[in-house]
Amino acid sequence: MSGNKAVAYVEPGVVEIETIDYPDLRLHDGPGVDPRNVGRDCRHGVIVKVLASNICGSDQHMVRGRTTAPAGLVLGHEITGEVVEKGPDVEYIHEGDIVSVPFNIACGRCRNCKERKTGICLNVNPVRPGSAYGYVDMGGWAGGQAEYVMVPYADFNLLRFRDADQAREKLLDLTMLSDIFPTGFHGCVSAGVGVGSTVYIAGAGPVGLAAAASAQLLGAAVVIVGDLNGERLAQARSFGCETVDLTRGAPEDQIEDIIGEPEVDAAVDAVGFEAKGHGKDAHEAPATVLNSLMSVARAGASLGIPGLYVTEDPGGIDSDAQSGSLKLRLGLGWAKSHSFTTGQCPVMKYHRELAMAILHDRVQIAKAVNAQIISLDEAPRGYEEFDKGASRKYVLDPHGALQRFKKAA
C-alpha cells in the first residue's frame, strides 16, 4: 500500500485530513520527531489496521494551540485495531489479532517498565521519560487517528483479545481501554476510592465521566461530578451520579447538600491546566481545580490527578502559567495531610482487568461517556464540536468496523 489517510494538526483551531505514507517498521523523520529517534528500527513492532481511534481532550489542548505541537503532527493516541503485519522479532502477537493499544509507548525493558510504571518509560523518548502516539514532545511516534499505524514493542505493549469475534461485538466499549477508561480508573484508585466512599470528580468531560463510572465500579457509595457545562452534568446524571453546578460557585455547599457534609473521602481532577474558576462568568484560572479539591477532600485523603498539566503553555494567562507554574495552596494540602498522584496513567496496570469488566457486562463505558461514531473524514467536525463543549466522546471509524453500533442506535 502507498497511502494512509490521517488527521493532522495544521494550526490553532485547524485539523485536516492528509494522506501520509503507509507505515513500516521504522521511525522516520517528520513533524515532532526527535532527531535522536529518526531511523529507529522497530523489528519488535507491528502494523495495525485502525478499527477505532478516539478524539481525546489531550488532543484538543494541542489543537487549541495550548502546546508547542508542530504543524503537520499526526494526532491520535487512543487506538484499537487489527494486526496486519508483524516484525521479525514479534513472538506472541499474530496477524489477525484484535488488540488494544495503550497510549503509553513502553519498551518493557527499562527500570520503570519493570516496575509497571509504563507511563514513564526511559527508552522511547529522548526528551523526557514517557511517550505517546501523536503527541507533542513525546518522541515523534505517529498518531493513530489514521487508517494504519505502527506500534513498537508489540509483545509487551498490546492487549490481545482472545476471542476476536467477541472483541468486535464489544468494540465501541473496548476502544475506551487505550486511554480514558484506565485513566479515569487510575484517578480513582490513586484517590483511594473504595466500597462506601464518597467521591468528588472535578470535570464532566470524557475522562471525568470515565472516572465516575470507575468510581461506581470500585464500589463508591456516592459519586459527585462537578462542571460548568450543563449538558455534561446531565450526562453524568444519566448513569446515577450526583452533580454540582459550578456556575453557582464553589462546590462545598452543594456537596454538603448531597451528603450532609462539605468534604468527601476521595477527590479526582479530570480537568487539568485549562481549568476555569467557579461562577457563571468564570475565566481561566489554572489552579482552581487543584485548590478546590484540597478544600473538599477530608483530612488524610488522597487526590488523583489524571487531568493533564504541561511544562509549556503558549496560551497561558500569565508567565507562570506559560511555564506550568501554578499558584497552589500547598499549605492547605500539607495541613490536611493530603497525598497527590499525578502523571500519565500506566494503562497496562489496569487494562486487562477493565477489559474483563467490559466483556462480562460489568460496565457500559461507551454509554457512560456518550460515545459518538464518526468517519475519519468527519474528524475536523468532531474537534470543532468537542471544543464547543459537546458532551460526546468522538470515536473515529476509519474502516467501517463500528457501523453495526450506529445501526443499533
Side-chain angles (χ1 to χ4, degrees), residues 10 61 64 99 102 134 145 152 186 225 228 231 263 276 280 318 323 357:
V10 177
H61 293 308
R64 290 188 185 119
V99 295
Q145 288 174 17
H186 177 60
V225 180
L228 297 158
E231 182 183 345
E263 294 183 325
K276 292 184 178 180
K280 189 174 182 180
D318 55 34
S323 63

Side-chain angles (χ1 to χ4, degrees), residues 70 76 82 87 90 98 110-111 134 158 166 178 194 196 211 238 256 264 285 355 390 396-397:
E82 177 185 356
V90 178
I98 306 300
C110 71
R111 173 180 177 175
L158 293 178
Q166 182 190 34
S178 56
S238 75
E256 186 167 14
V264 294
L396 305 182
D397 184 16

Side-chain angles (χ1 to χ4, degrees), residues 66-272:
R66 298 299 297 267
T67 72
T68 55
L73 180 69
V74 174
L75 301 170
H77 56 271
E78 300 190 14
I79 308 162
T80 309
E82 177 185 356
V83 176
V84 294
E85 179 185 341
K86 68 175 191 175
D89 291 348
V90 178
E91 295 185 75
Y92 307 113
I93 298 293
H94 303 288
E95 294 174 5
D97 285 345
I98 306 300
V99 295
S100 178
V101 183
F103 79 88
N104 322 112
I105 302 173
C107 73
R109 298 155 165 81
C110 71
R111 173 180 177 175
N112 285 347
C113 284
K114 290 178 179 180
E115 293 176 356
R116 301 184 77 192
K117 300 172 183 175
T118 53
I120 44 174
C121 173
L122 300 173
N123 288 332
V124 289
N125 181 7
V127 176
R128 61 170 67 95
S131 189
Y133 303 90
Y135 212 83
V136 60
D137 293 336
M138 289 292 184
W141 302 89
Q145 288 174 17
E147 293 177 304
Y148 298 90
V149 67
M150 190 270 282
V151 175
Y153 302 103
D155 281 326
F156 181 68
N157 281 299
L158 293 178
L159 174 64
R160 180 180 69 86
F161 302 112
R162 290 181 294 178
D163 186 330
D165 291 334
Q166 182 190 34
R168 288 180 182 273
E169 289 293 331
K170 293 281 191 179
L171 189 61
L172 190 59
D173 286 290
L174 293 174
T175 190
M176 306 305 164
L177 288 174
S178 56
D179 182 356
I180 66 164
F181 192 13
T183 292
F185 193 84
H186 177 60
C188 289
V189 170
S190 301
V193 176
V195 174
S197 299
T198 56
V199 185
Y200 176 64
I201 297 166
V207 170
L209 295 171
S214 298
Q216 293 174 338
L217 188 62
L218 287 163
V222 183
V223 181
I224 306 167
V225 180
D227 205 288
L228 297 158
N229 183 318
E231 182 183 345
R232 291 182 170 182
L233 291 175
Q235 179 61 27
R237 289 192 294 272
S238 75
F239 59 98
C241 300
E242 301 286 347
T243 58
V244 165
D245 181 356
L246 296 174
T247 65
R248 294 169 50 192
E252 289 89 340
D253 289 344
Q254 294 178 68
I255 289 173
E256 186 167 14
D257 289 341
I258 295 167
I259 61 173
E261 56 184 344
E263 294 183 325
V264 294
D265 299 320
V268 178
D269 173 3
V271 178

Side-chain angles (χ1 to χ4, degrees), residues 286-314:
T288 298
V289 171
L290 294 172
N291 287 330
S292 70
L293 292 193
M294 287 186 276
S295 294
V296 304
R298 65 174 177 81
S302 298
L303 277 59
I305 310 174
L308 175 67
Y309 289 87
V310 295
T311 56
E312 292 183 82
D313 172 12

Side-chain angles (χ1 to χ4, degrees), residues 56 63 79 87 108 114 166 193 262 271-272 328 335 342 348 404:
C56 181
V63 173
I79 308 162
K114 290 178 179 180
Q166 182 190 34
V193 176
V271 178
L328 295 180
T342 65
M348 294 172 64
R404 71 181 74 184

Side-chain angles (χ1 to χ4, degrees), residues 10-93:
V10 177
E11 61 184 19
V14 180
V15 298
E16 291 182 354
I17 309 302
E18 298 183 355
T19 299
I20 62 174
D21 290 338
Y22 184 84
D24 58 18
L25 300 175
R26 178 166 292 189
L27 188 53
H28 298 277
D29 197 8
V33 180
D34 190 283
R36 291 164 287 182
N37 258 354
V38 173
R40 189 167 180 160
D41 192 12
C42 296
R43 293 167 56 89
H44 44 66
V46 298
I47 307 301
V48 170
K49 177 182 178 181
V50 179
L51 301 181
S53 183
N54 316 328
I55 295 175
C56 181
S58 299
D59 299 320
Q60 198 72 64
H61 293 308
M62 290 188 290
V63 173
R64 290 188 185 119
R66 298 299 297 267
T67 72
T68 55
L73 180 69
V74 174
L75 301 170
H77 56 271
E78 300 190 14
I79 308 162
T80 309
E82 177 185 356
V83 176
V84 294
E85 179 185 341
K86 68 175 191 175
D89 291 348
V90 178
E91 295 185 75
Y92 307 113
I93 298 293

Side-chain angles (χ1 to χ4, degrees), residues 341-392:
T341 300
T342 65
Q344 287 188 33
C345 165
V347 171
M348 294 172 64
K349 187 174 181 179
Y350 307 106
H351 65 174
R352 186 173 302 279
E353 291 83 356
L354 295 179
M356 293 296 286
I358 289 170
L359 293 171
H360 293 278
D361 296 317
R362 299 289 301 189
V363 64
Q364 286 74 46
I365 189 64
K367 184 177 180 181
V369 301
N370 197 21
Q372 177 167 329
I373 302 160
I374 59 176
S375 70
L376 191 66
D377 290 333
E378 293 176 297
R381 173 177 68 83
Y383 272 98
E384 182 180 359
E385 292 178 0
F386 190 30
D387 188 50
K388 292 178 180 177
S391 184
R392 305 182 192 102

